[in-house]
Amino acid sequence: MNDPENTEFLVHSPSFINNDDDANYASLTDALEQTVFENFDDGLYIGMMSGTSLDGMDAVLCQFGNEEDRQQPLQLLATYSQDFPPRLREVLLALCQPNGINHLTPTIGEPNSELDWFGWASKAYADFASEVVNNLLQQSNTDSESVLAIGCHGQTVRHRPQMGFSLQLVDANIIAERTGISVVSDFRRRDMAVGGQGAPLVPAFHQALFSTPNSTRVLLNLGGIANITVLPANANLINANPANDTSGNDSPVIGYDTGPANLLLDAWTSLHTNKDYDAGGAWAQSGQVVEPLLNQLIEHPFFARTYPKSTGREDFNLAWLQNELQKFDQASAHIRYSSADVQATLTELTAMSASMQINTFINAHEKSSVYVCGGGAFNDYLMTRLQAHLPHCTVETTASLGLNPAWVEAVAFAWLARQTLMGETGNLPAVTGASKGVVLGQVCFA
C-alpha cells in the first residue's frame, strides 16, 4: 500500500470530448469511449463512509488495479476524516429512532415534522459530504476531473429488511454539483428489490481484495454494528464479478451482522463520562463483567436468528440497553455493579457474539486468521477479549493485509462505485439472501 503522506499523484485530465446535449449513448461503455479514459481503471475513485456510530465521515482517494493486477490491486492515495457538525449529528441520531425527532427542539427556521427534518438532513448531509470531498481533493492536490466517481453510501436512518426497505439519507445531486464529480449512491435498495437484506455489502469487496487460496480468512468489521465476512481458502482470489460465481464452489463467501459493537459502547461511554468513546477499552478494562447481565443481553432474538441477517439501531440502542438494565435490576436486586462494569459487559457482549459466529466456520486443525477493521480495531481490550474467545485463530487488524482498519469501509464504497460504473454486480447473493447478483446504486452524473 502507498503511504498517503508520501504518494506522488498521477494527475489525469479527463474531460468529455463530446459535450453535445443531443449525444445519446447506448451504454456507459459507449459514453466512456467519448472520454480520455481508456477504461474505468485509469481514473481515481473516492469512497465515503459514515457508519452507525455517527462519529464522523471518512473519505478516501484510491485507484484500483485491473483484473490481472494481483500484485497491487489497490493504491490508497489519500485519506481524510471530519467530525459531523453537532446539529446534523443530533438530527441524524433522532431520525434513526422511530419518532425520535419528537425530542428535538426546533430553532427559528428549522422544520417541525419528521418528513421535513428528513429533507433538511438529506441536504445538510450532502453539503457536509461535499465539504469533506473538496477538503480531501485540496489536501491531496488532486483535480476533481481526475476522479471518475464518488461512492457515497449516505447515512442509514432506518433499516427494515423484514419489511423490504432501507433508507439512506443523502442528496447525491448536491454532492455532484458541489464537487464536479459523478456520485454513486443508494447501494442497498437494488439488492432488496431481488429479495436481499441490502446488507452487508462489503463482503464482495473483501473477497476481491483479501481472499487467498491458502487459508480461511475472516474479516470482522467492528463499526457501530459488528459484521463478519468468511473467506474460505477456495474463494476467488481476485474476481471482478464475484457475485456471478457459478463455479460450483462448495464454500461460498458468507457474511452477516453478528450484533452490536461501538454503537452501545460509545453510547454508554458518552452517557457516563465526558468522552465520546472508550479509548483503547481502558474504562471497560477497569470494570468487571456482570455475567448474569451478559446472559440476559445475549438472549436478544437477533443473536439466535440464522443468516442472512442484518441489524442496526432499530434493534440495539441506548433505550434498549436502559430497559434491559431496568429489568435486570428488578430481577437481581442483590447484585451491585458500576457503570464501568456495564461497559465491560457490553465489550464482552460484542466479543462473545462475534466470536460465537466466527467459531462455527473455523476448523481448529486448519490455518485460520481473523482480521479486524473499523473503529473497534483500535480498542485494545476488545481485541484481547476477541483473541480469548478465538483460541484457534490469530486475531490482528487489516493493517497486516496492507490496509489500515480505519479506512476499509470507505475504500469498499469506492470499489462498489467502480463496480457500478463498469456495470458489474456488487452484491453477493449468498451473503444478502438476494435471488441474483445485481448492479448496485444509482449514478448522478456531474
Side-chain angles (χ1 to χ4, degrees):
M1 310 301 294
N2 286 1
D3 184 341
E5 296 181 356
N6 298 297
T7 299
E8 291 187 8
F9 287 88
L10 303 177
V11 180
H12 306 282
S13 300
S15 60
F16 281 95
I17 297 173
N18 185 349
N19 290 319
D20 185 354
D21 291 340
D22 295 329
N24 183 17
Y25 304 124
S27 68
L28 283 173
T29 302
D30 293 338
L32 182 64
E33 291 176 355
Q34 303 303 313
T35 76
V36 298
F37 289 114
E38 292 184 3
N39 57 58
F40 287 113
D41 295 318
D42 282 349
L44 309 178
Y45 289 85
I46 288 175
M48 309 189 74
M49 186 62 189
S50 60
T52 314
S53 295
L54 274 167
D55 51 357
M57 186 176 293
D58 298 328
V60 297
L61 177 71
C62 49
Q63 187 168 28
F64 299 96
N66 57 38
E67 187 176 352
E68 289 75 30
D69 187 7
R70 298 187 178 185
Q71 294 301 314
Q72 193 171 30
L74 164 70
Q75 295 183 65
L76 182 59
L77 303 176
T79 63
Y80 183 78
S81 185
Q82 189 168 329
D83 291 343
F84 274 106
R87 186 56 166 171
L88 175 57
R89 184 176 190 273
E90 183 182 13
V91 173
L92 291 173
L93 285 169
L95 287 169
C96 285
Q97 297 300 320
N99 304 313
I101 214 73
N102 294 338
H103 301 293
L104 285 177
T105 302
T107 60
I108 296 175
E110 287 188 331
N112 55 16
S113 73
E114 188 166 60
L115 191 57
D116 288 342
W117 274 117
F118 188 94
W120 178 94
S122 295
K123 180 182 182 302
Y125 184 99
D127 288 337
F128 177 58
S130 302
E131 178 184 336
V132 170
V133 169
N134 287 327
N135 286 339
L136 173 69
L137 294 173
Q138 182 179 9
Q139 292 194 11
S140 61
N141 195 28
T142 303
D143 193 316
S144 62
E145 290 187 340
S146 300
V147 183
L148 268 172
I150 298 168
C152 185
H153 170 256
Q155 185 62 47
T156 300
V157 293
R158 203 61 47 83
H159 184 63
R160 301 288 196 196
Q162 70 276 17
M163 299 174 66
F165 77 88
S166 185
L167 294 178
Q168 280 68 50
L169 185 152
V170 63
D171 188 340
N173 301 278
I174 291 175
I175 302 176
E177 187 63 30
R178 301 278 170 82
T179 65
I181 303 171
S182 298
V183 179
V184 186
S185 62
D186 195 15
F187 289 94
R188 298 197 187 281
R189 291 195 293 176
R190 185 60 188 274
D191 178 81
M192 301 184 90
V194 291
Q197 294 258 329
L201 294 180
V202 294
F205 166 72
H206 290 160
Q207 179 185 23
L209 196 68
F210 297 129
S211 289
T212 174
N214 302 319
S215 64
T216 296
R217 286 177 173 176
V218 178
L219 275 292
L220 171 60
N221 176 55
L222 294 174
I225 296 296
N227 52 69
I228 61 170
T229 302
V230 182
L231 301 172
N234 57 345
N236 299 332
L237 183 59
I238 296 291
N239 189 341
N241 194 6
N244 281 346
D245 180 15
T246 57
S247 62
N249 192 339
D250 292 330
S251 302
V253 173
I254 295 170
Y256 55 92
D257 292 349
T258 62
N262 298 327
L263 188 161
L264 292 179
L265 296 175
D266 292 352
W268 188 253
T269 299
S270 179
L271 184 65
H272 290 277
T273 73
N274 59 354
K275 300 176 181 178
D276 293 329
Y277 63 96
D278 183 10
W283 187 41
Q285 193 168 8
S286 73
Q288 298 291 326
V289 174
V290 184
E291 293 290 347
L293 176 60
L294 177 64
N295 294 336
Q296 177 183 316
L297 297 178
I298 203 71
E299 289 298 315
H300 189 294
F302 175 80
F303 296 116
R305 292 179 203 160
T306 57
Y307 64 87
K309 61 179 181 176
S310 54
T311 188
R313 287 185 181 272
E314 298 81 9
D315 291 321
F316 299 101
N317 51 65
L318 185 58
W320 169 78
L321 175 59
Q322 291 173 321
N323 183 61
E324 290 296 314
L325 288 172
Q326 184 177 19
K327 290 192 297 184
F328 179 75
D329 290 343
Q330 291 172 350
S332 308
H334 62 286
I335 297 179
R336 297 288 181 264
Y337 59 89
S338 68
S339 56
D341 294 338
V342 174
Q343 186 74 358
T345 304
L346 293 175
T347 303
E348 194 71 6
L349 177 68
T350 297
M352 187 172 73
S353 57
S355 300
M356 285 170 56
Q357 298 301 312
I358 293 171
N359 278 322
T360 64
F361 301 104
I362 296 300
N363 186 328
H365 303 291
E366 293 181 358
K367 182 180 178 182
S368 300
S369 300
V370 176
Y371 296 96
V372 183
C373 59
F378 302 96
N379 186 323
D380 297 332
Y381 178 61
L382 177 54
M383 291 288 287
T384 298
R385 295 310 304 149
L386 282 167
Q387 184 65 81
H389 286 286
L390 296 166
H392 302 296
C393 302
T394 57
V395 178
E396 48 196 329
T397 76
T398 54
S400 299
L401 299 176
L403 185 54
N404 186 302
W407 308 111
V408 173
E409 284 203 298
V411 173
F413 279 95
W415 183 85
L416 285 167
R418 176 173 173 265
Q419 290 293 100
T420 300
L421 288 193
M422 293 193 302
E424 300 284 2
T425 57
N427 64 331
L428 290 175
V431 168
T432 66
S435 61
K436 61 180 181 179
V438 288
V439 179
L440 304 176
Q442 298 186 34
V443 184
C444 184
F445 290 102

